[in-house]
Amino acid sequence: MNRKVTKAVIPAAGLGTRFLPETKALPKEMLPIVDTPTIQFIVEEAKKSGIRDIVIVIGKGKRSIEDHFDANPELEQNLEERNKTNMLEAIRKTNDMNIYFIRQSHPRGLGDAIYTARSFISNEPFVVMLGDDVMEDKVPLTKQLMNSYQKTGASTLAVKRVAHKDISKYGVIAPSEEVEPGLFNVKKFVEKPAPEKAPSDLAIIGRYLLTPEIFGILENAKPDAGGEIQLTSAIDTLNKTQRVFAHEFKGRRYDTGNKLSWLKTNIIFGLQHPEIASGLRSYLKDLGQQLRDEDQPQKK
């Protein structure tokens, strides 16, 4: 019987340079999707998947993440006295998990952020959840990886098919065989290949289930040309000594990693939000008509 997975690592120590100047003082992970910080969607996915303990790896200027997941008795009392039940329930959701924080002293890449959490994880399998990707499916993606691990006992990465022209933005797998529907044996993992050299269109997205042997590899990993420890390279090394699988995610992935994708995600979630959906839909229809009118050739 494989060990039960109960712990998650959420790296949140990046500088968020793609969102400057906003992220000079505000962590990228706290940028909202409508009214909810992106990182809260990640924590809620972990909870729905059965994860009991979460460690968030933070860096300089990330104190607001700690504050967000801390209790605020004064605010809760105020909302309770004013019978703001829905708001009270919403903020209490942010502090009903076992969440711990570890500081990454320098931004040395994703692999180093994971290695920072080694004492918290100890000798257990664990999941890694990146904050740039919000996943939506009947069974949470993290739970899908946990279910796969219970059958295989092996590290498993989430992958999703992406447009070939965009493949250079991702780590990519070279699959060897599909051992069961949606589960692949992997020959190698390639970090951000040029489209003409990509071994597949199966891109690694922001969910991993890893065995603790990854820490020994990360400990001895050498930084790349940019001074970062790459997790994808460490996983490729792990794959040489024990099997690593790739699980194809068929649900919806919402990217929040750059300004345009974050805005698109806000619009999609806004159209589902009970408070603003109707007004936003009307506005978008009016805006669409205005843009069509502007695109029409002017009569002389």
Side-chain angles (χ1 to χ4, degrees), residues 156-199:
T156 308
L157 282 62
V159 295
K160 191 170 180 63
R161 296 186 188 276
V162 301
H164 190 71
K165 62 182 177 60
D166 295 329
I167 203 69
S168 61
K169 301 175 184 177
Y170 300 89
V172 181
I173 69 164
S176 61
E177 61 177 324
E178 192 170 8
V179 295
E180 62 179 63
L183 189 67
F184 297 88
N185 266 325
V186 181
K187 288 187 288 187
K188 64 178 180 177
F189 301 85
V190 184
E191 181 67 24
K192 297 180 179 179
E196 63 273 14
K197 295 182 178 180

Side-chain angles (χ1 to χ4, degrees), residues 3-7 50-52 125-127 146 149-150 209:
R3 297 188 67 174
K4 191 173 182 180
V5 180
T6 63
K7 294 179 179 179
I51 294 295
R52 293 202 299 261
F126 64 103
V127 294
M146 292 163 65
Y149 174 79
Q150 286 303 311
L209 193 152

